[in-house]
Each structure stands twice: as C-alpha cells, then as structure tokens.
Amino acid sequence: MTTSSHELHELWLVRHGETAWSMNGQHTSVTDLELTANGEAVAEGLAAPLSRVDFAQVLTSPRRRARRTAELAGFASAQPDEDLAEWAYGEYEGMTTPEIQESVPGWSVWTHDSPGGESAAEVAARLDRVVQRARAVDGRTLVFGHGHSLRVLAARWLGLEVAGGRMFDLDTATISVLGDDRGTPVVRRWNVSAQQ
C-alpha cells in the first residue's frame, strides 16, 4: 500500500507474551520476568501476521518480557523506549487485585493510587510522548509493551482520560491497531490473537 505524506498514521500495539505472573494476575512492572515456554511459542506466532505489514518505526518497552516478544515476533532491532514500560505499581508489585483489596476495598489501578508507584498523570505524560512519536512519522508505528500501559496508550490516542483504559481488556501476545477515520482517532482492531 502506498500513501502520500501524512496520509497514514496507525499505532500497532502488541502486549508481551505470557509470564508466570501474568498467568496468576500478579501486577508486574519493574520485575524483569522471562516469558513462559507457552509465552515464547505464542509470541513466535505473531511473526507471520506482523511480517505482512510495513512499519515506519518499531519501539519496545525495555523490560525483558517485551523485548523477547519483539525478538520472537521478528523485530529483534526494536528500539527500547522507557516510556513504554509498565505502570509502576510500587508497593503492590507482585500482588493480585484481590490481595490488594484485602487492605484497600475496591482498589483498582484505574481508580486508586499505588503507594510508591506512578500516578495516573505520570503514566499519561509518558504515553502521550509515545502518541506524539507515532504521529510524527509517516506510516505505521509498532510498539511492544504491557497490559496496563498499552491500555492507557489506547485511551490517550483516543483522547480519553487514563481511566478510560479500563474499558480495553488486553490479553498477552495479542495485536491491536489504532488509527484515524477522517481525522477522528479510532480503534481499528483490538485484542486479536495471531490465531484469529
């Protein structure tokens, strides 16, 4: 597909493959986990659909699980970008939502603070920079990242507040595509597995 200048802006999102903590619902930001064997196998399956698309730039979270997913998907040279790191959960790192809610009833990353972690405004600021980088190039941008941060990225692309990300469920090793429709930011595809 050929496009003229500024005709095509798409942001492709890939959540990293499965880890032991993602399987258990444990909040994982700075803990640098490996993919599980299944996570590696499913990440390899991303290579075929992504190889059929031309990307102007490819970025990845610097965390091992995202970089390994990028590598297995055929993008070993993806540029690490700290702005794509997962929302920092502070004292809640490694805990599940039910565990946190034992001491903070009703807690959600979308509605409550994480002691010692990032605020919603801090997460928004860095993911707004990713949106700006994607809109600054002609063509498609592919990013490899994490569940909560990619959901925030989608919300910010669409002009929503951070909490709007709660509406975008996102599984591991899935492909999502954001774009524009006559000047309006839109979701083109969401949470698509390589097998679909």
Side-chain angles (χ1 to χ4, degrees), residues 2 9 13 16-17 30 43 69 73 95 97 111 114 117 127 141 146 148 153 159 164 168 179-180 183 196:
T2 58
H9 283 112
L13 316 178
H16 66 75
V30 296
T69 301
M95 297 177 68
T97 296
T111 57
S114 298
L127 292 165
T141 295
H146 310 272
H148 282 132
L153 182 56
F168 299 101
D180 295 299
Q196 289 179 298

Side-chain angles (χ1 to χ4, degrees), residues 16-118:
H16 66 75
E18 175 190 271
T19 68
W21 282 17
S22 70
M23 284 174 49
N24 298 327
Q26 292 170 267
H27 288 84
T28 320
S29 56
V30 296
T31 305
D32 216 4
L33 299 177
E34 302 281 359
L35 300 182
T36 63
N38 180 62
E40 294 222 347
V42 176
E44 285 177 346
L46 296 167
L50 292 174
S51 70
R52 296 190 287 267
V53 183
D54 292 325
F55 294 103
Q57 65 180 340
V58 182
L59 309 172
T60 182
S61 160
R63 300 294 177 260
R64 182 178 298 142
R65 57 198 183 275
R67 288 186 290 112
R68 180 64 174 152
T69 301
E71 179 185 343
L72 292 169
F75 297 91
S77 61
Q79 178 185 343
D81 186 337
E82 191 67 42
D83 284 339
L84 285 166
E86 181 58 296
W87 192 321
Y89 303 117
E91 294 176 16
Y92 296 152
E93 180 80 2
M95 297 177 68
T96 66
T97 296
E99 287 172 342
I100 298 166
Q101 289 176 343
E102 289 175 11
S103 57
V104 185
W107 182 90
S108 162
V109 72
W110 305 110
T111 57
H112 291 68
D113 290 333
S114 298
E118 283 182 292

